[in-house]
């Protein structure tokens, strides 16, 4: 009996060791995918008909119907992809839990002690939720930082050009306000980027992801001193060692998470204090000429 067959017997429904779980295809099924392509082709056809025959009412109705069908299929496609991502995540956690059990126990023991799987899977699920949350924050903060910095650079670079163009005689009244509006927008965008600390949050989230993923791999493979229990031969001691490894893993994950939150909060507080001091100094310099 092979290793894959034994692990399949632990949970015949979903859990496999070699990734043999059958997952649904991401996105729409093939018939609905064809219907989506046909909807796009029908929209193009009805649009061309409406341009060539302006008084043709059926073409307008056909375009509206096909656009509605295309939106419905698009939302359905997103739903299928979410379900696929959720099942793929569960399958990945099951494989890691099986890998951890097989690295701790023998194949025959792993076949008998299937109750250990939920314990390991629950610990991995906890760490994976934190990893996914940090990844989401990392992407949001990175995109926000890049967009704000790009907007600041563009508005700051366009301002000297607008000052020169303002000297030209133009009949457009609002065009004369652009040399004033662009620097103001650039200053507001720079202040927003500095106040919310997107760069710092992006850096801390990326660091947390790396640390949590490294700790998770140590736990799954048992390469750390806290997780090594290959030399234990007695069953009770092995079970006790596995529970102790799970407890140690959860504790280290919590330490990493709390440490990153404290560093993030401290960095944002320090940045706000520096900004407040800079504003106070600027206000003091503005009052000095008036007092004189």
């Amino acid at each position: 009996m092979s290793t894959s067959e034994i692990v399949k017997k632990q949970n015949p429904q979903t859990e496999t060791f070699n990734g043999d779980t059958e997952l649904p295809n991401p996105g729409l099924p093939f018939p609905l995918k064809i219907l989506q392509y046909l909807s796009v082709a029908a929209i193009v056809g009805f649009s061309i008909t409406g341009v060539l025959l302006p008084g043709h009412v059926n073409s307008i109705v056909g375009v509206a119907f096909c656009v509605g069908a295309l939106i419905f299929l698009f939302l359905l496609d997103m739903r299928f992809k979410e379900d696929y991502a959720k099942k793929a995540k569960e399958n990945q956690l099951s494989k890691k839990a099986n890998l951890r059990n097989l690295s701790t126990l023998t194949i025959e023991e792993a076949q008998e002690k299937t109750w250990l799987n939920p314990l390991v899977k629950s610990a991995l699920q906890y760490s994976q939720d934190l990893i996914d949350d940090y990844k989401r924050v990392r992407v949001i903060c990175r995109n926000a930082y890049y967009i704000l910095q790009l907007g600041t650079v563009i508005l700051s670079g366009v301002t000297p050009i607008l000052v020169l163009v303002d000297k030209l005689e133009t009949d457009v009244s609002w065009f004369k306000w652009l040399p004033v509006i662009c620097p103001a927008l650039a200053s507001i965008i720079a202040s927003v980027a500095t106040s919310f600390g997107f760069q710092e949050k992006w850096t801390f989230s990326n660091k947390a992801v790396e640390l949590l993923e490294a700790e998770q791999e140590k736990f799954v493979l048992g390469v750390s001193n806290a997780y090594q229990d290959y030399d234990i031969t007695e069953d009770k001691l092995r079970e006790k060692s596995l529970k102790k490894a799970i407890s140690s893993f959860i504790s280290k994950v919590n330490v990493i998470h709390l440490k990153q939150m404290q560093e993030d909060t401290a960095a944002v507080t320090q940045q706000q204090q520096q900004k407040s001091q800079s504003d106070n100094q600027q206000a003091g310099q503005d009052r000095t000429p008036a007092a004189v």
Side-chain angles (χ1 to χ4, degrees):
M1 184 178 293
S2 63
T3 304
S4 177
E5 293 175 352
I6 292 176
V7 179
K8 283 182 182 179
K9 288 186 177 181
Q10 295 182 10
N11 193 339
Q13 295 179 353
T14 57
E15 295 183 359
T16 60
F17 179 73
N18 292 325
D20 297 332
T21 302
E22 293 184 1
L23 294 175
N25 294 324
L28 293 173
F30 185 70
L32 294 179
K33 183 66 70 174
I34 293 178
L35 185 60
Q36 188 178 27
Y37 294 151
L38 291 176
S39 299
V40 175
I43 291 173
V44 175
F46 282 125
S47 300
I48 295 174
T49 304
V51 172
L52 297 178
L53 302 174
H56 201 271
V57 181
N58 293 332
S59 62
I60 300 176
V61 176
V63 169
F65 177 77
C66 292
V67 168
L70 190 62
I71 293 175
F72 172 75
L73 292 173
F74 174 75
L75 296 176
L76 194 63
D77 183 46
M78 292 180 60
R79 182 64 181 177
F80 273 104
K81 288 182 178 178
E82 289 178 359
D83 293 340
Y84 175 82
K86 185 183 296 184
K87 292 181 180 180
K89 180 182 176 180
E90 293 178 356
N91 183 49
Q92 186 68 20
L93 290 175
S94 298
K95 290 194 294 183
K96 288 183 178 181
N98 287 325
L99 180 61
R100 172 61 192 177
N101 288 342
L102 288 176
S103 64
T104 305
L105 307 173
T106 62
I107 295 179
E108 292 76 9
E109 291 170 341
Q111 182 183 1
E112 296 174 357
K113 300 177 182 179
T114 57
W115 61 271
L116 294 175
N117 245 18
L119 298 177
V120 179
K121 189 175 179 181
S122 178
L124 293 173
Q125 180 70 48
Y126 174 70
S127 63
Q128 190 63 43
D129 289 341
L130 289 177
I131 291 173
D132 293 339
D133 185 60
Y134 275 116
K135 284 183 177 180
R136 180 180 58 83
V137 174
R138 179 180 63 180
V139 172
I140 293 175
C141 293
R142 181 191 61 193
N143 294 340
Y145 176 75
Y146 282 155
I147 292 172
L148 293 175
Q149 290 297 317
L150 184 62
T152 303
V153 171
I154 292 175
L155 292 174
S156 301
V158 169
T159 300
I161 300 175
L162 294 176
V163 172
L164 296 176
V165 175
D166 184 45
K167 296 180 179 181
L168 300 177
E169 295 181 358
T170 58
D171 296 333
V172 183
S173 59
W174 59 267
F175 193 80
K176 297 180 180 180
W177 290 95
L178 291 179
V180 180
I181 295 175
C182 287
L185 290 177
S187 178
I188 292 172
I189 292 174
S191 299
V192 170
T194 304
S195 300
F196 288 94
F198 291 112
Q199 185 180 13
E200 289 77 10
K201 291 181 180 179
W202 166 29
T203 305
F204 289 136
S205 298
N206 186 54
K207 181 181 177 182
V209 169
E210 297 296 334
L211 292 175
L212 289 172
E213 287 182 344
E215 195 65 33
Q216 189 181 84
E217 290 300 321
K218 290 179 182 178
F219 173 70
V220 172
L221 301 177
V223 296
S224 177
N225 293 329
Y227 310 136
Q228 288 180 353
D229 43 17
Y230 306 118
D231 54 344
I232 302 176
T233 57
E234 297 183 10
D235 294 343
K236 293 183 178 180
L237 292 179
R238 278 192 173 183
E239 294 176 8
K240 184 177 179 180
S241 177
L242 179 58
K243 292 180 180 179
K244 185 178 179 181
I246 293 174
S247 177
S248 178
F249 173 66
I250 295 296
S251 299
K252 289 186 177 181
V253 168
N254 288 332
V255 168
I256 294 173
H257 177 53
L258 294 176
K259 184 178 179 181
Q260 294 303 316
M261 291 187 63
Q262 292 174 355
E263 290 181 357
D264 189 9
T265 304
V268 173
T269 303
Q270 183 179 3
Q271 190 174 15
Q272 291 177 352
Q273 291 177 353
Q274 292 177 356
K275 185 176 182 299
S276 178
Q277 292 177 0
S278 177
D279 294 340
N280 293 334
Q281 292 177 359
Q282 185 67 28
Q285 292 176 1
D286 293 340
R287 294 194 196 96
T288 302
V292 175

